[in-house]
Amino acid sequence: MSMNAFKAFKSCVPIAYSPNLYITLVRGIPGTRKQHRRTLEALRLGKCNRTVMRWNTPTVRGMIQQVKRLVVVETEEMYKARKEKEEAHRALRPPLVINHQPASSA
């Protein structure tokens, strides 16, 4: 996913109306400012692609604003829809049966 896709994704999130926010760390921590690392630590985001749920409070929104280039914010509905899509993708499919026997001539 390119950065433009992330920006488009983040711009359409109606964060103000959601009681819970799902925050996912999508960029690496090395090379970031110490203040940003401390903010991610306070949000309990230790590794890349980890998601945490936080209440939608002004404090948390301020923390997200500080590290907005490192994280993606989702509402509860968006998070559940993404998880369902991932589960459907991982669902068991019927096995592909290949017959290696030569065709018998009748």
Side-chain angles (χ1 to χ4, degrees):
M1 215 182 226
S2 66
M3 281 307 294
N4 288 339
F6 272 127
K7 286 178 185 172
F9 178 70
K10 291 192 318 189
S11 66
C12 65
V13 178
I15 290 177
Y17 309 112
S18 179
N20 295 328
L21 299 176
Y22 288 82
I23 308 159
T24 306
L25 183 62
V26 294
R27 305 280 305 258
I29 295 175
T32 58
R33 291 179 164 184
K34 191 169 209 168
Q35 188 177 10
H36 294 176
R37 288 196 297 266
R38 296 287 303 273
T39 303
L40 292 171
E41 186 182 318
L43 286 169
R44 300 285 189 260
L45 287 167
K47 291 185 177 180
C48 221
N49 295 321
R50 296 289 166 95
T51 303
V52 294
M53 189 273 291
R54 294 282 170 259
W55 291 335
N56 190 358
T57 61
T59 307
V60 172
R61 283 201 304 268
M63 293 166 105
I64 292 168
Q65 183 67 25
Q66 196 172 37
V67 293
K68 65 185 173 196
R69 62 181 297 273
L70 305 173
V71 298
V72 166
V73 183
E74 296 173 304
T75 61
E76 197 157 1
E77 299 80 33
M78 292 168 67
Y79 177 76
K80 286 181 179 173
R82 181 169 62 92
K83 284 296 173 187
E84 283 176 17
K85 188 175 175 186
E86 286 175 6
E87 286 300 319
H89 183 70
R90 281 197 207 106
L92 288 174
R93 295 173 190 79
L96 182 64
V97 179
I98 300 172
N99 189 5
H100 292 286
Q101 302 299 327
S104 59
S105 58

